[in-house]
Amino acid sequence: MTLGALAALALAATAEPCRTVHGRMELWNGAPSVRIWVVGTKRVLGVAQQEASFKDLPLAVRQIWTGADADKDWATAIYGDFQVCPLAAERAGHMQAVRLIDATPSVLAPAPPSLCPPGPAA
């Protein structure tokens, strides 16, 4: 079974609708490496990717994280509105896996040195 088919099954199993969140998207060490902190919460969403490249990400993100300069990509946090579809049910204290459908970047900022939002995911 392909990763896409598994994702479709997982999405159907969650019964949670796709939604738009306002957050800060960054690159992190570990899997998944693309994560979105939902502003105003302690929630972190892990963006599922089929491979470790940016080609799965929306065009608006790929225009910022080009892959041409890894240091610049890792140092740039993207604030904006992100349309995500859950691939797993939301659980307190755990990162939720999502598929990133669309992105509307509004602000680029230096990524925080710790590369993590305040407090644990909730």
Side-chain angles (χ1 to χ4, degrees), residues 1-10:
M1 187 175 282
T2 68
L3 183 59
L6 287 172
L9 287 174

Side-chain angles (χ1 to χ4, degrees), residues 24-120:
R24 179 182 71 214
M25 187 165 61
E26 302 168 313
L27 296 171
W28 291 46
N29 283 324
S33 62
V34 177
R35 301 181 191 180
I36 300 169
W37 165 58
V38 181
V39 172
T41 72
K42 294 181 180 181
R43 170 64 55 201
V44 175
L45 306 175
V47 177
Q49 294 176 269
Q50 290 187 353
E51 48 188 81
S53 72
F54 297 141
K55 70 180 184 178
D56 294 352
L57 300 176
L59 178 61
V61 174
R62 287 180 290 152
Q63 289 174 332
I64 296 166
W65 291 343
T66 63
D69 183 344
D71 289 337
K72 182 179 176 188
D73 294 340
W74 279 83
T76 303
I78 303 170
Y79 284 85
D81 294 321
F82 304 97
Q83 184 181 5
V84 297
C85 295
L87 298 176
E90 192 170 324
R91 294 187 327 168
H94 292 81
M95 182 176 3
Q96 184 179 24
V98 298
R99 183 168 40 109
L100 181 60
I101 303 300
D102 198 11
T104 306
S106 56
V107 175
L108 303 181
S114 65
L115 289 180
C116 64

